[in-house]
Amino acid sequence: MADFLQLLIAGIATGAIYALAAIGFTLLWQTSQTINFAQGEFVMLPAFFALAAMKWGGAPFWLACLVAVAMSLLILGVAFKGLIVDPLIKHGAMPLVISTIGLSIFLKDGVKDAYSAEAQPFPAIFPDRLIEILGVKVSLAQIGVLIIAFGVIFVLQWFLGGTRIGRQMQATAQNPTVARILGVPVERMILYTFLINAALAAMASLLISPIYLAKFSSGETLGMAAFVAAIVGGFNQVRGAIAGGIIVGVLDNMAAVYVSTAYRQAVPLVLLVLIILFRPQGLLGRKEERAV
Amino acid sequence: MTANANTHQSGDALLLLKDVVSGYGKMTILNGTTAAIRRGAITTVIGPNGAGKSTMFKTIFGLLPVRTGTITMDGKEITNSSPRQMLDMGAVFIPQGRNIFAELTVKHNLELGGVALSDQSGLGDRIEDMFTRFPILREKANAQAGTLSGGQQKLLEVARGLLLNPKLMLVDEPSIGLSPLMVQEVFSILIDLAKKGVTILLIEQNAKQALQMSDYGLVLEQGQARIEDTAKNILNDARVAQLFLGGGMAPAAAAAPAH
């Protein structure tokens, strides 16, 4: 039982990180119809920004983390929107999808060539010390991840629902034409979404890299987890992405122990197939109708 | 407002369209539309499907670009203004269909109507005014707007538009999907607004009913204004009846027989 609880906590911690990536994924979809197949690489890359800042810039770890967030906002937020999404979205969703797949390959191989093909150890923000709570051993690192990830999610939810800018972003996501008619600066709201996505990716990267190491190819698994989490929860709901992320994280951890580590990566896919078969709008999603 | 407003002269137009051409992509819908919309009155735009009624509204409000021609409001040229600039000029647009944000509360929907307010400190009072005017909205203030009935949603849209105290309201098919009672209610709100000096430009599927409560009518066909007159005259115009029976206003000879 204690093992199970330990696994559960570890699963929720990983799941909370997946949720960060999945939330960004759904936000981009909602406000700009961008399905970002490079989302996994978006989570892989910021850790390398930090590593590069430490290796070549001699920056201390805390500064490297700030550099990573700043670079993410600039490259994964502003440049991604300005150089890829804006010019392509006019031509429909499909060219953009293909481009993000291309971008994912570019980022992956770019990191491999520019930094290293080896998995890189990444400094942990929290000490990896085990403490015992009610007979269950949990690591401080996991608790730290949980607190930060849920803290970020909480702040984001508060921002979207509790501030006027956040509600203007929601309005833009729900109906951009009407938002424009009411005078909402729609373009700016979309830019905010890209910045939020970049910040979430950077947070996820800094939290997950100490656990799974920073590797150029780690985006494949992360992207799949985020994608499945978003679909499972409901593609058009932030809270769906949170639920989906946690479900995928927990299942993933449980499967590694109770089924087989070899099948670990298959579990999210099985879940994906089941959801698409039986509840295509996702657990918390609403059905979406699109005008043709 | 200047004191020399001379309501009964045709020259007293709030909104003027001159030879406006616009459309979607390669398609031209408005094909040289010229019209004068009078201040403080209800003008109903009628015409067959595809005549360009909704296109005209979207073009005025800056959702579609004006290719050639000019639009003037209050003597100022507003051709190709953005929706935000139109709001700042005192115009609001209530488009066809459901335009509420279903997942936000009624109150937050109203609040979004005030995004363009120059003085944000007055927003709370204005929302309060709307709640007083439409008590049902106060009752449902914290409910998700998507849970309102169709009629209530339309009321919310109207209230959201009124929040800015507009001079000009463009209202596209407000009665679609509403019960007859609700249609009456929406119409009476519009009549009341016109009495208070708001200029209302209306598109209605139920042309007859709409013209009966309007001051003026504007018949649009193939992207051009064919008739501009008082609503009464248009109601009694034989050509209009013919138009709505499906035939165009072009001479009958144009529709040559097949053999």
Side-chain angles (χ1 to χ4, degrees):
Chain A
M1 189 61 198
D3 274 359
F4 177 81
L5 282 177
Q6 250 165 277
L7 272 175
L8 187 68
I9 292 168
I12 295 175
T14 338
I17 301 173
Y18 292 161
L20 294 179
I23 291 170
F25 201 79
T26 58
L27 283 178
L28 283 195
W29 163 251
Q30 285 182 46
T31 46
S32 64
Q33 276 68 56
T34 305
I35 304 178
N36 182 18
F37 279 106
Q39 187 77 348
E41 280 65 35
F42 275 35
V43 177
M44 175 274 295
L45 194 59
F48 283 94
F49 288 147
L51 287 172
M54 287 190 286
K55 186 177 168 189
W56 294 316
F61 179 57
W62 64 268
L63 184 62
C65 288
L66 288 183
V67 169
V69 173
M71 294 282 283
S72 301
L73 291 177
L74 210 63
I75 293 174
L76 306 179
V78 179
F80 175 54
K81 177 178 187 289
L83 299 178
I84 296 180
V85 178
D86 286 349
L88 284 170
I89 193 79
K90 300 193 244 325
H91 306 289
M94 209 27 96
L96 187 52
V97 164
I98 304 294
S99 313
T100 63
I101 294 173
L103 178 66
S104 78
I105 298 169
F106 171 74
L107 292 178
K108 213 162 25 190
D109 286 315
V111 165
K112 190 167 82 178
D113 291 343
Y115 199 92
S116 166
E118 300 295 315
Q120 304 292 316
F122 194 83
I125 301 173
F126 305 98
D128 197 17
R129 193 149 46 84
L130 286 177
I131 54 164
E132 211 175 286
I133 305 170
L134 304 168
V136 182
K137 287 204 180 74
V138 283
S139 84
L140 273 182
Q142 276 167 6
I143 298 194
V145 165
L146 275 176
I147 290 173
I148 293 203
F150 280 103
V152 167
I153 290 169
F154 179 81
V155 169
L156 179 68
Q157 287 285 60
W158 167 80
F159 173 72
L160 288 177
T163 68
R164 293 191 54 200
I165 295 280
R167 290 193 290 268
Q168 289 182 39
M169 287 180 66
Q170 286 196 58
T172 302
Q174 287 177 33
N175 194 334
T177 310
V178 175
R180 237 163 86 72
I181 285 170
L182 297 177
V184 172
V186 167
E187 268 307 306
R188 200 188 313 157
M189 295 305 139
I190 294 176
L191 176 63
Y192 290 165
T193 314
F194 278 81
L195 291 177
I196 289 175
N197 179 50
L200 290 173
M203 292 304 302
S205 188
L206 299 177
L207 291 176
I208 203 148
S209 299
I211 307 174
Y212 290 136
L213 304 177
K215 196 176 179 197
F216 74 96
S217 61
S218 65
E220 291 162 13
T221 344
L222 289 168
M224 183 51 75
F227 183 72
V228 174
I231 301 279
V232 165
F235 212 57
N236 43 27
Q237 295 283 342
V238 167
R239 57 175 191 278
I242 301 168
I246 292 168
I247 291 171
V248 171
V250 169
L251 273 181
D252 184 85
N253 266 266
M254 297 280 175
V257 173
Y258 293 116
V259 186
S260 139
T261 42
Y263 284 105
R264 173 185 201 153
Q265 289 192 5
V267 171
L269 292 173
V270 171
L271 183 67
L272 180 68
V273 170
L274 289 177
I275 287 286
I276 287 176
L277 271 178
F278 296 108
R279 204 179 151 77
Q281 73 270 39
L283 294 175
L284 300 175
R286 75 192 121 80
K287 286 193 175 136
E288 217 167 298
E289 283 151 39
R290 294 216 167 256
V292 183
Chain B
M1 290 287 138
T2 46
N4 61 6
N6 200 345
T7 358
H8 294 294
Q9 268 185 12
S10 63
D12 187 51
L14 176 71
L15 190 70
L16 282 167
L17 282 80
K18 193 162 182 298
D19 301 322
V20 174
V21 176
S22 94
Y24 307 84
K26 282 180 185 152
M27 206 150 55
T28 301
I29 307 287
L30 289 191
N31 196 3
T33 310
T34 299
I37 310 305
R38 289 169 182 79
R39 204 182 288 274
I42 302 182
T43 304
T44 295
V45 184
I46 61 171
N49 283 339
K53 303 185 294 285
S54 295
T55 308
M56 177 178 161
F57 279 26
K58 288 180 193 162
T59 307
I60 294 170
F61 209 71
L63 295 171
L64 284 174
V66 178
R67 291 185 196 152
T68 58
T70 53
I71 304 176
T72 348
M73 180 171 162
D74 253 348
K76 247 176 81 178
E77 192 180 328
I78 53 154
T79 318
N80 282 324
S81 293
S82 68
R84 175 58 201 247
Q85 287 167 327
M86 291 303 293
L87 292 164
D88 291 341
M89 284 291 296
V92 299
F93 178 27
I94 302 177
Q96 218 179 91
R98 302 250 187 277
N99 305 294
I100 48 122
F101 301 109
E103 282 160 54
L104 295 176
T105 65
V106 169
K107 189 171 178 187
H108 288 153
N109 265 277
L110 273 178
E111 173 201 85
L112 281 162
V115 167
L117 268 182
S118 52
D119 175 22
Q120 289 291 334
S121 64
L123 181 60
D125 288 343
R126 287 182 186 227
I127 291 176
E128 199 50 40
D129 286 350
M130 286 307 138
F131 281 158
T132 309
R133 191 156 175 183
F134 306 106
I136 181 70
L137 298 183
R138 187 197 299 277
E139 216 173 279
K140 307 249 175 177
N142 295 315
Q144 276 201 343
T147 63
L148 299 186
S149 73
Q152 290 165 347
Q153 290 187 14
K154 211 64 203 183
L155 278 188
L156 174 57
E157 276 182 52
V158 173
R160 191 172 63 183
L162 289 179
L163 205 78
L164 291 177
N165 240 334
K167 279 193 268 199
L168 170 68
M169 284 182 102
L170 307 174
V171 192
D172 190 350
E173 303 256 16
S175 76
I176 267 185
L178 299 192
S179 68
L181 209 65
M182 210 58 221
V183 173
Q184 277 309 320
E185 180 159 356
V186 171
F187 280 5
S188 68
I189 293 169
L190 296 180
I191 293 170
D192 185 51
L193 285 169
K195 277 190 192 135
K196 289 178 179 145
V198 181
T199 306
I200 290 171
L201 192 54
L202 180 71
I203 297 174
E204 251 311 320
Q205 47 172 353
N206 189 342
K208 203 167 175 189
Q209 195 185 0
L211 282 170
Q212 277 162 353
M213 66 147 194
S214 299
D215 302 292
Y216 298 97
L218 175 64
V219 180
L220 213 58
E221 201 209 3
Q222 293 178 0
Q224 294 185 343
R226 304 282 191 206
I227 310 173
E228 277 186 273
D229 207 336
T230 60
K232 207 171 165 191
N233 285 346
I234 287 185
L235 272 172
N236 297 328
D237 193 317
R239 290 175 299 169
V240 173
Q242 188 197 1
L243 187 68
F244 281 98
L245 290 172
M249 272 192 289
H259 297 287

